[in-house]
Amino acid sequence: MSSSGSPNDKPVAIRQERRSDVAARDGLLDAAFGPGRFAKTSERLREGRKPARGLAFVARRGGCLVGTLRLWPVVTGTGHTCLLLGPLAVAEDARCLGIGAALMGQALARARQLGHRAVILVGDATYYSRFGFSAEQTAAFRMPGPYERDRLLAVELVPGALRGVGGLIAAANPRPSRLSGLMDRIAGLPAPLGQPA
């Protein structure tokens, strides 16, 4: 920290999301997107499901959660699996510090390390193009609800991963039953039943 003591001098730490982050994460998303976030088409692919294993991140600064990003498993109409990115959110008082870019860099690098081949999202092409996202690869994709076609973006983590891929995007795993969710909480399991440990 510099001698000026500026609030911008606080270090930012990016790490895997923990259960203890959930309330702060939800508060951050509410502040960033408001209640309208639940009406988005992308939310239909996330609701009641867990993010892809090892691909939920938070940014913490000065003891506070100031950023979040998750990746979700989805499958295309042609049967190809990929990841859905979102939402990405950064606290208003921590914007312009590079936190969103740091979260993106960490998430995409980890997804590549874990063997994922492509990532899609619905978002601002101007912002996400710096990470390699574009609408060029998504002409054959459809979302399960209303969306703006020019905001449906993708990036290949493996060259050629989206060649011949298209159709309706759907959640890759079924919603866990209420019973399996209860059993997970009782057992303290981080993953839904039926997934390898």
Side-chain angles (χ1 to χ4, degrees), residues 118-130:
V119 180
I120 59 172
L121 62 83
V122 178
D124 178 30
T126 304
Y127 178 80
Y128 289 104
S129 64
R130 72 180 89 171

Side-chain angles (χ1 to χ4, degrees), residues 1-144:
M1 194 163 170
S2 72
S3 58
S4 69
S6 164
N8 291 343
D9 294 337
K10 294 178 184 173
V12 175
I14 295 176
R15 63 163 169 75
Q16 293 281 319
E17 182 182 305
R18 299 175 186 155
R19 273 188 197 193
S20 59
D21 296 321
V22 171
R25 179 187 177 277
D26 286 345
L28 174 60
L29 292 175
D30 288 343
F33 301 112
R37 71 183 173 103
F38 295 108
K40 295 184 178 196
T41 296
S42 294
E43 185 62 24
R44 302 293 71 79
L45 299 171
R46 297 188 289 255
E47 66 186 352
R49 294 174 176 87
K50 293 185 180 186
R53 184 173 288 206
L55 292 172
F57 300 93
V58 296
R60 296 191 66 86
R61 180 171 172 259
C64 297
L65 191 141
V66 294
T68 179
L69 182 143
R70 287 175 161 184
L71 293 165
W72 306 81
V74 293
V75 64
T76 69
T78 51
H80 296 82
T81 59
C82 49
L83 295 168
L84 174 70
L85 188 146
L88 167 64
V90 175
E92 187 173 0
D93 63 350
R95 292 184 186 150
C96 300
L97 299 177
I99 294 170
L103 282 163
M104 287 292 296
Q106 179 99 359
L108 294 176
R110 185 70 180 133
R112 189 176 285 112
Q113 289 171 352
L114 291 172
H116 295 283
R117 299 174 52 81
V119 180
I120 59 172
L121 62 83
V122 178
D124 178 30
T126 304
Y127 178 80
Y128 289 104
S129 64
R130 72 180 89 171
F131 308 106
F133 285 86
S134 77
E136 293 173 19
Q137 305 270 4
T138 62
F141 288 101
R142 293 188 330 275
M143 292 288 284

